[in-house]
Amino acid sequence: MENVHLAGEDEDIYSGFNEYNPFFDTEGLENDEGFKQAVKTSHGRRPPMTAARKNFAFNRAQVGTAAGNRLKTGLTSSMGRPTTGIAVDASGARPMTAVRAAGYSSTGRGQGFDPMNQASKGPAPPLEMKNEDSPEEKIKQLEKQVNDLIEESCFSNSRGELSLALEKAKEAGRKERVLVRQREQISATEQINLDLTYSVLFNLANQYESNEMFTEALNTYQVITKNKMFTNAGRLKVNMGNIYYKQRNYPKAIKFYRMALDQVPVNTHKEMRISIMKNIGIVFVKMGQYNDAITSFEHIMSEQPDYITAFNLILCYFASGDREKMKRTFQRLLQVDLDLEDEDKYLPHPEDKHANMVLEVIRSDTLREQENEKKSAMEKCVMAAAKLIAPAIEQSFSAGFDWCVDCVKQSPYTELANDLEINKAIMHLKKKDFSQAIDVLKSFEKKESKCASVAAVNLSFIHFLQAEYSAAEKYAEMAMTSDRYNPAALVNKGNCLFIMGDLEKSKEFFMEALRTEVSCTEALYNLGLVNKKLGHLEPALECFLKLHAILRSNPEVLFQIATIYDMLEDTPQATEWFMQLIGIVPTDPSVLSRLGELYDNEGDKTQAYQYYFESFRYYPSNIEIIEWLGAYYIDSQFVEKAIHYFERAAVIQPNKVKWQLMIASCHRRSGNYQQALETYKYIHKRFPDNIECLKFLVRLCSDLGLPDAQEYATKLKKAEKAKELREQRATSGTGSRSGSARRGVRGGGSADSGRGGSGNDSRQNSGRGSARRSGRMRAQLPDANGPYEVNDQNVDASYVDPLGPAAERPKTAAKRREVDDDFGDEELGDDLLPE
């Protein structure tokens, strides 16, 4: 403490720090004449004088010696004249100044610059070559390979090559373990790269999760989180919670989310905590614990509100049935700020061409697209929330929609009010309340053109469904007047003309709709139907093939393509497209029957039976399929199985004697004559005038020696006489009608002479393939009143078989689904009835 000096009260402890040598003052050099002179002349190149010191004088002897030495050496200055001033002797024992310059001496300037005295050592040796076999170099190369493998794994995952990404991640893990062992071998454990180890394990866990190997992913995450050397590894428990969520293990997901939440700081990672809270709320919703979910979502809305959380909160209040909180949360949803830029920023500047060029760029850049996506997602949430709570917050859904519309009109999203009104009309349509829907839509007639056009399109659609085609055409024209480039309005107009039979004009409107919007699938489908009706099969096929490129798995499109190929008699293509259609709708009995018909026409009975039988399984009431299956079993000599199908046909058509006769014939062919006799007696009881039944009864009773044969023979003769009388009356009646018809033609034509028209002609043209095929099938069916097969050579020729000759067994065609002539809801398009 003796050497410590304490400053007094009046003493300045900071004095002396601003004092400096005036030689270092460079601010006045511009006005220093001596400095200027030194710069301009060689005066400034002379060696500096020895630093001045008080009471110091040069020794004249030394000066003289110096001068003598200078004269002896004959040194010259850089200007070509002898040097002046004081010089030292050649030995260099004494420097010329107090501070000697590095590398310079007074011996002269001929000597080279060699401050380190390197000249005597010779040239520098060459650089040593890098030893690639050294352990340190091997470790560096191995570490670089691990980093490259991690990058390749991440890139493969981004390309969707998940298996390759997992292999790369595993290889990186193997090389990283080799790297750690090599460091341990050279006792460099303190140089182990923990960041690299963390990256390898984290990437491996991610790749396991991407490949849905959840157990391996959880084990890898456990290795990371249990290692205390990894900082902030506890946050990875969020990923573990996500895996448990995917496994539907919701209690464990909640547990790990909360553990992750506890390890995230409150002040520095607020957004991360909000994201974890969202996950917790969603898991509670999945578990049905709506009160806990409400607690999480309410906390988020108080800290950092967003529209997704507000929508989820509305769902929870809807599930719990709290009307007031539903209303309040809907209002909070409308108040969420999206932080979007003002739309006026994108308005053009009439006088600033440079600004307009910038606008052209930023109107479609990535940031603008992101803003539009965010805005559309927000609008979708508002619309969905309004449609959800409208029926629940008031006594009727109409009053609820009115409340939602009022709230939207007072919010920044006022343009959604009209959309909500349209959705209100759609809700009325879903409830089959057409009058209310029409009233709501008619209220848009005096509003802005876009809304009026949408409302008119929907009104046209409603009237079209109600078969009020004049009104539908009227509103379609109104929609076109409001917005000429509305493809839905053009499609509705074309549909009305199609129904009225004006196919050419209908085709024009469909083509105009396609010019307006190339991706209008409704117009393209209907254009194909019109071409098909007009008999233009190639253009129709082109339309449906284009539509198939857009709608890859649409069954209606596939059906139309297959049908057109069938009409073009391209059976292989038709079969291929029907097979594709069965892959999409494997239980459609009509498609199965069409495919069975194609194989039947090609002579492949086995494949035809397979598809006909599948069609019968899904639709066991198709008479034509039943008849074909029965005839197939008779041809295959399985008469007993055919009885089952004919009995089903008799149940479906109990008043048609044909099926009863076939059942009796099958019993007779199988040798069960007693059962055949009982069946014929039952038929005679129900149809006493049937001549075929009486013939079989006479024959069977005679063969079995029964006394009833004479009685049935008498009834047979009476029935034949009655039949002849009916035929005579019919012939005379036909002759009189034909004579009157001839008189009518002579008097000015029949009343039916004007029927027909382009619609009927087009229907006939479009059904050429179907009529051709159906005509061939019908020609092979047995005539109910024609001659029957003689079963035995010894049997009377009057004894006939109702199934007909074996060569004329029925090969019926399955009834087609005539979608050509009907417009379904899909033909009018999604724009007509927005979801």
Side-chain angles (χ1 to χ4, degrees):
M1 295 297 293
E2 295 178 355
N3 297 326
V4 176
H5 173 71
L6 300 177
E9 295 181 356
D10 298 334
E11 185 177 357
D12 186 5
I13 61 176
Y14 296 104
S15 61
F17 286 99
N18 293 330
E19 297 177 0
Y20 62 96
N21 194 327
F23 286 106
F24 299 110
D25 186 9
T26 60
E27 295 180 357
L29 289 178
E30 296 181 357
N31 301 324
D32 190 347
E33 295 296 334
F35 176 76
K36 292 181 179 181
Q37 185 66 24
V39 171
K40 293 179 180 180
T41 65
S42 62
H43 177 76
R45 302 184 183 182
R46 296 175 184 175
M49 298 293 293
T50 305
R53 184 178 296 179
K54 292 182 178 180
N55 301 324
F56 178 82
F58 288 106
N59 192 331
R60 291 183 178 272
Q62 291 177 347
V63 171
T65 303
N69 291 335
R70 174 175 55 79
L71 293 174
K72 291 177 183 179
T73 56
L75 294 177
T76 59
S77 69
S78 60
M79 300 300 293
R81 59 187 180 85
T83 57
T84 59
I86 302 172
V88 296
D89 58 354
S91 63
R94 175 180 175 275
M96 197 170 191
T97 59
V99 180
R100 182 178 178 183
Y104 290 96
S105 65
S106 60
T107 58
R109 300 188 180 183
Q111 190 174 1
F113 176 72
D114 188 14
M116 305 298 295
N117 196 20
Q118 297 290 331
S120 61
K121 297 181 179 180
L127 296 175
E128 295 182 0
M129 298 297 294
K130 184 184 295 185
N131 187 7
E132 297 182 356
D133 295 332
S134 64
E136 293 81 3
E137 188 64 27
K138 289 183 178 179
I139 288 174
K140 289 182 180 179
Q141 293 294 331
L142 193 57
E143 187 171 346
K144 183 178 183 301
Q145 293 176 11
V146 173
N147 283 316
D148 293 340
L149 286 171
I150 293 175
E151 290 184 2
E152 292 176 7
S153 175
C154 295
F155 288 140
S156 299
N157 185 288
S158 64
R159 293 192 301 267
E161 302 173 357
L162 302 181
S163 300
L164 179 61
L166 180 59
E167 290 299 325
K168 295 290 184 182
K170 288 181 179 179
E171 187 177 355
R174 289 192 292 268
K175 288 186 178 294
E176 193 272 336
R177 288 192 292 272
V178 173
L179 176 63
V180 172
R181 286 196 296 269
Q182 288 187 3
R183 289 187 186 275
E184 291 175 351
Q185 289 175 0
I186 64 174
S187 301
T189 55
E190 69 279 356
Q191 298 179 3
I192 293 178
N193 192 345
L194 290 178
D195 292 337
L196 183 62
T197 305
Y198 179 88
S199 300
V200 169
L201 292 174
F202 180 64
N203 179 59
L204 181 60
N206 279 332
Q207 303 309 329
Y208 277 134
E209 184 178 356
S210 299
N211 286 271
E212 298 184 356
M213 302 172 66
F214 297 131
T215 303
E216 292 82 355
L218 289 172
N219 294 336
T220 309
Y221 280 128
Q222 287 284 1
V223 172
I224 299 175
T225 54
K226 288 182 179 180
N227 194 335
K228 302 299 182 182
M229 300 180 68
F230 296 141
T231 58
N232 300 324
R235 300 177 189 175
L236 294 181
K237 292 182 178 179
V238 175
N239 296 15
M240 300 175 71
N242 292 339
I243 294 176
Y244 283 119
Y245 176 82
K246 292 178 181 179
Q247 293 179 332
R248 300 181 182 275
N249 192 348
Y250 299 129
K252 276 200 171 183
I254 291 288
K255 173 185 175 182
F256 278 88
Y257 284 145
R258 286 177 170 170
M259 291 170 64
L261 190 65
D262 294 338
Q263 297 189 14
V264 175
V266 179
N267 298 326
T268 57
H269 295 78
K270 184 178 179 180
E271 291 186 0
M272 183 179 292
R273 290 181 62 87
I274 291 296
S275 300
I276 298 174
M277 289 291 292
K278 288 180 183 179
N279 290 1
I280 293 174
I282 291 173
V283 176
F284 277 131
V285 171
K286 289 287 186 180
M287 297 173 66
Q289 300 179 12
Y290 299 112
N291 292 329
D292 295 331
I294 288 171
T295 303
S296 298
F297 292 141
E298 284 286 1
H299 174 74
I300 297 172
M301 290 298 293
S302 61
E303 294 289 332
Q304 187 177 343
D306 63 279
Y307 61 91
I308 296 178
T309 303
F311 182 74
N312 290 336
L313 189 57
I314 290 173
L315 292 179
C316 293
Y317 283 132
F318 178 81
S320 59
D322 195 333
R323 294 185 177 183
E324 294 301 323
K325 289 186 178 179
M326 276 190 278
K327 290 183 177 181
R328 186 181 65 191
T329 310
F330 184 75
Q331 292 174 341
R332 294 171 69 182
L333 171 62
L334 296 174
Q335 295 172 0
V336 171
D337 187 13
L338 297 180
D339 297 330
L340 300 178
E341 295 186 359
D342 191 6
E343 292 293 333
D344 295 340
K345 173 183 176 180
Y346 300 99
L347 295 178
H349 302 277
E351 299 180 355
D352 193 345
K353 294 183 179 180
H354 182 267
N356 289 333
M357 294 174 63
V358 174
L359 284 177
E360 289 295 329
V361 176
I362 66 175
R363 276 198 189 102
S364 58
D365 62 353
T366 306
L367 179 60
R368 178 63 171 169
E369 291 177 358
Q370 185 178 1
E371 289 180 351
N372 292 334
E373 291 176 359
K374 192 174 182 180
K375 185 177 179 181
S376 62
M378 172 65 178
E379 293 176 353
K380 184 178 179 181
C381 284
V382 172
M383 297 292 292
K387 289 191 288 185
L388 177 69
I389 68 174
I393 58 178
E394 299 292 344
Q395 296 298 327
S396 65
F397 84 92
S398 180
F401 261 106
D402 293 338
W403 182 86
C404 293
V405 169
D406 293 337
C407 290
V408 170
K409 287 181 178 178
Q410 298 173 6
S411 71
Y413 308 99
T414 53
E415 65 274 5
L416 296 180
N418 292 327
D419 294 336
L420 278 176
E421 291 280 358
I422 296 291
N423 277 278
K424 179 182 176 182
I426 301 304
M427 291 296 294
H428 282 298
L429 285 177
K430 290 182 178 180
K431 293 180 177 292
K432 308 298 182 182
D433 192 355
F434 295 105
S435 60
Q436 290 289 335
I438 291 173
D439 292 339
V440 174
L441 293 173
K442 283 185 176 180
S443 63
F444 285 89
E445 293 181 359
K446 296 182 180 180
K447 293 187 178 181
E448 57 176 332
S449 59
K450 184 178 179 180
C451 295
S453 178
V454 174
V457 166
N458 284 278
L459 284 170
S460 175
F461 176 67
I462 294 172
H463 287 295
F464 188 89
L465 292 181
Q466 293 178 336
E468 299 173 356
Y469 302 120
S470 300
E473 186 178 8
K474 169 190 171 185
Y475 283 106
E477 291 176 353
M478 290 177 59
M480 292 165 55
T481 303
S482 301
D483 184 5
R484 179 64 186 180
Y485 299 101
N486 188 343
L490 295 169
V491 169
N492 282 3
K493 175 68 173 178
N495 289 345
C496 295
L497 294 172
F498 184 94
I499 292 297
M500 295 176 182
D502 195 348
L503 299 180
E504 292 295 340
K505 285 189 177 180
S506 175
K507 180 179 178 181
E508 292 178 4
F509 278 101
F510 291 144
M511 294 179 67
E512 184 177 355
L514 284 174
R515 287 193 294 270
T516 303
E517 184 178 334
V518 180
S519 61
C520 184
T521 56
E522 297 82 10
L524 190 57
Y525 184 88
N526 291 350
L527 181 61
L529 288 182
V530 171
N531 284 325
K532 185 179 175 183
K533 285 287 185 183
L534 292 171
H536 305 157
L537 298 182
E538 294 293 342
L541 181 62
E542 183 181 354
C543 291
F544 288 122
L545 288 175
K546 287 181 180 178
L547 193 57
H548 175 66
I550 301 172
L551 307 175
R552 301 295 300 179
S553 301
N554 188 277
E556 286 79 8
V557 177
L558 292 174
F559 180 83
Q560 294 293 340
I561 294 173
T563 303
I564 292 176
Y565 273 123
D566 191 15
M567 295 170 66
L568 292 171
E569 299 183 7
D570 192 348
T571 304
Q573 285 290 339
T575 304
E576 180 182 350
W577 285 97
F578 274 124
M579 291 294 292
Q580 293 185 29
L581 181 57
I582 287 177
I584 298 174
V585 282
T587 60
D588 192 320
S590 177
V591 178
L592 291 168
S593 64
R594 287 293 298 275
L595 199 52
E597 178 187 340
L598 290 175
Y599 281 113
D600 188 18
N601 294 338
E602 293 295 317
D604 191 347
K605 297 291 183 180
T606 304
Q607 287 289 340
Y609 167 75
Q610 178 183 350
Y611 289 108
Y612 274 135
F613 182 75
E614 290 294 321
S615 177
F616 173 76
R617 283 181 54 213
Y618 294 116
Y619 183 50
S621 300
N622 192 326
I623 290 294
E624 294 161 343
I625 301 298
I626 293 171
E627 185 178 5
W628 191 94
L629 290 172
Y632 173 79
Y633 279 116
I634 291 174
D635 286 342
S636 303
Q637 303 300 323
F638 295 104
V639 183
E640 294 82 0
K641 291 186 177 181
I643 295 174
H644 167 70
Y645 294 100
F646 293 136
E647 286 177 347
R648 182 175 292 275
V651 172
I652 297 172
Q653 295 180 348
N655 297 323
K656 195 168 184 179
V657 70
K658 174 182 178 181
W659 311 120
Q660 300 291 344
L661 292 173
M662 287 186 174
I663 294 171
S665 179
C666 289
H667 284 303
R668 181 183 55 78
R669 283 179 171 239
S670 63
N672 192 353
Y673 296 108
Q674 189 62 37
Q675 184 64 38
L677 180 61
E678 294 297 330
T679 305
Y680 282 127
K681 286 182 179 181
Y682 172 76
I683 297 171
H684 176 65
K685 184 178 179 180
R686 291 198 59 196
F687 306 96
D689 297 332
N690 189 272
I691 298 175
E692 289 80 10
C693 179
L694 288 171
K695 288 180 181 180
F696 292 131
L697 283 172
V698 171
R699 179 57 179 169
L700 283 175
C701 289
S702 300
D703 291 344
L704 296 175
L706 298 178
D708 296 335
Q710 187 63 35
E711 179 184 354
Y712 289 123
T714 304
K715 291 181 179 180
L716 176 59
K717 291 179 180 179
K718 291 181 180 179
E720 288 176 347
K721 288 181 180 179
K723 181 181 178 181
E724 291 177 1
L725 291 174
R726 287 195 300 268
E727 290 178 354
Q728 290 176 2
R729 293 193 190 99
T731 304
S732 61
T734 304
S736 62
R737 283 197 299 270
S738 61
S740 62
R742 285 193 296 271
R743 290 191 297 271
V745 171
R746 295 189 191 98
S750 172
D752 296 334
S753 61
R755 294 182 182 177
S758 61
N760 190 28
D761 295 339
S762 63
R763 184 184 302 271
Q764 293 173 358
N765 291 333
S766 65
R768 288 183 303 176
S770 176
R772 167 182 50 78
R773 217 171 26 253
S774 299
R776 186 168 62 249
M777 292 294 102
R778 284 195 296 270
Q780 297 175 359
L781 291 177
D783 188 2
N785 298 321
Y788 290 91
E789 176 189 10
V790 178
N791 192 34
D792 192 356
Q793 297 294 333
N794 299 322
V795 178
D796 187 8
S798 61
Y799 181 68
V800 292
D801 193 311
L803 293 177
E808 297 180 2
R809 292 289 160 78
K811 294 193 297 184
T812 58
K815 186 178 180 179
R816 293 180 186 79
R817 180 176 57 184
E818 293 294 334
V819 299
D820 309 11
D821 305 330
D822 300 327
F823 275 91
D825 292 347
E826 68 275 10
E827 297 167 355
L828 296 176
D830 296 334
D831 294 335
L832 308 181
L833 269 180
E835 292 294 335

